[in-house]
Amino acid sequence: MSINVLATTAQALVAPGKGLLAMDESTGTCNARFAAQGLPKTVEVRRAYRELLVTTPGLGEGISGAILFDETIRQRTGAGVSFVETLQQAGIIPGIKVDLGAHELAGFPGEQVTDGLDGLRPRLAEYAALGARFAKWRAVLTIGPDRPSRAGIAANAHALARYAALCQAAGLVPIVEPEVLLTGPHSLARCAAVTEEVLHEVFAQLRMQGVALEGMLLKPSMVLAGTDCPKQPTTAQVADATVACLLRTVPAAVPGVAFLSGGQSPEDATRHLAAMHERFAGRLPWALTFSFGRALQQPALAIWAGQAANVAAAQQALLVRVRGNQLAVEVGSVAAASA
């Protein structure tokens, strides 16, 4: 596919005032969230919940793209309309998670590498035929004593780059997601150093594999102190450390950076995103936006509780979270215009 087409899609995904809805939970993850809410772990309940999400009135006003799971991209509403078509009618670009999950990296206890490259080419062709226009692959890196190792970083960066090259060959915009996990006692400075090393390696591998930067997006974690760190940074310190790291590592040709929430509370994720825009408005070469899952969905899931009578209230809760993040990214536009 022409790089111009890929670049146009990538730009549309980071359109001003919009972000992505990550509703690509695997069956196991979705079932675990249902179990925590006391919901049945069945295909039909998962379908009903996802229908609630994709049919939310006005969702397209703040959501540019929705990342789906293999099960989800094949599902339909109760009226028989495919979820893909439902999203398209709302002005939302459908996407698809294509990795097969992280597994132990041989020879490096405590580290993981993501599987899914085998057979990826035909899977991408099928997803494109189903209506997907972009894809996502998540790599997971843990901070600890002597972790992540150089081998762990290199293995995950190489897999991300091979995935991205295959996506572009199939006409799909790759979202490249190297997640540095929040768990642990590490400091903000330690997270910044690890994240910088990871992103340097990711972009070196992307270049080696011939990936067109104009036709991809980055989905990183924010730079944060570990959950067990006794000294937690301020919102401003997180914003400064995250943007400094990105400026050192992410080429200007990349259209946008769409952050994952990474286990933060919905409110913290939004506050950190808003602070980046407030402090760096008009000074960044790429768009900064959100690609949140739980940080958008969790209030809606709790309200829904599997009851049809609660659908409207749950959808309203989703819109409240979307609008909060819209306001966070619009802060930068307003500040830049008034500068």
Side-chain angles (χ1 to χ4, degrees), residues 9-30:
T9 301
Q11 291 285 356
L13 288 168
V14 291
K18 293 189 177 184
L20 287 83
L21 172 61
M23 46 180 293
D24 58 324
E25 301 88 354
S26 66
T27 299
T29 299
C30 192

Side-chain angles (χ1 to χ4, degrees), residues 123-239:
R123 288 197 293 124
L124 291 172
E126 180 188 12
Y127 290 136
L130 288 170
R133 290 174 55 194
F134 70 97
K136 191 204 82 168
W137 178 290
R138 174 176 178 253
V140 182
L141 298 115
T142 303
I143 297 178
D146 303 317
R147 293 199 307 268
S149 66
R150 283 296 306 157
I153 293 172
N156 279 289
H158 177 76
L160 282 166
R162 288 294 304 129
Y163 139 81
L166 285 164
C167 279
Q168 292 189 337
L172 300 177
V173 170
I175 293 183
V176 173
E177 181 180 350
E179 179 176 3
V180 177
L181 294 179
L182 183 57
T183 53
H186 55 271
S187 66
L188 182 73
R190 171 74 171 137
C191 182
V194 169
T195 304
E196 184 172 339
E197 184 178 8
V198 168
L199 291 179
H200 274 307
E201 184 65 24
V202 166
F203 281 101
Q205 290 287 339
L206 289 168
R207 182 175 184 274
M208 191 178 301
Q209 297 300 327
V211 174
L213 299 182
E214 297 83 356
M216 62 155 282
L217 297 175
L218 179 69
K219 181 175 177 176
S221 40
M222 297 179 190
V223 175
L224 300 157
T227 50
D228 298 327
C229 179
K231 184 178 180 181
Q232 290 294 318
T234 65
T235 298
Q237 288 172 328
V238 169

Side-chain angles (χ1 to χ4, degrees), residues 55-76:
T55 60
T56 296
L59 187 63
E61 295 175 13
I63 296 296
S64 58
I67 311 171
L68 307 177
F69 183 60
D70 181 79
E71 180 180 79
T72 319
I73 200 171
R74 306 173 193 279
Q75 290 177 323
R76 295 178 174 272

Side-chain angles (χ1 to χ4, degrees), residues 12 18 59-61 63-65 85-94 133:
K18 293 189 177 184
L59 187 63
E61 295 175 13
I63 296 296
S64 58
E85 185 178 349
T86 302
L87 290 167
Q88 290 170 336
Q89 290 173 352
I92 299 171
I93 301 171
R133 290 174 55 194

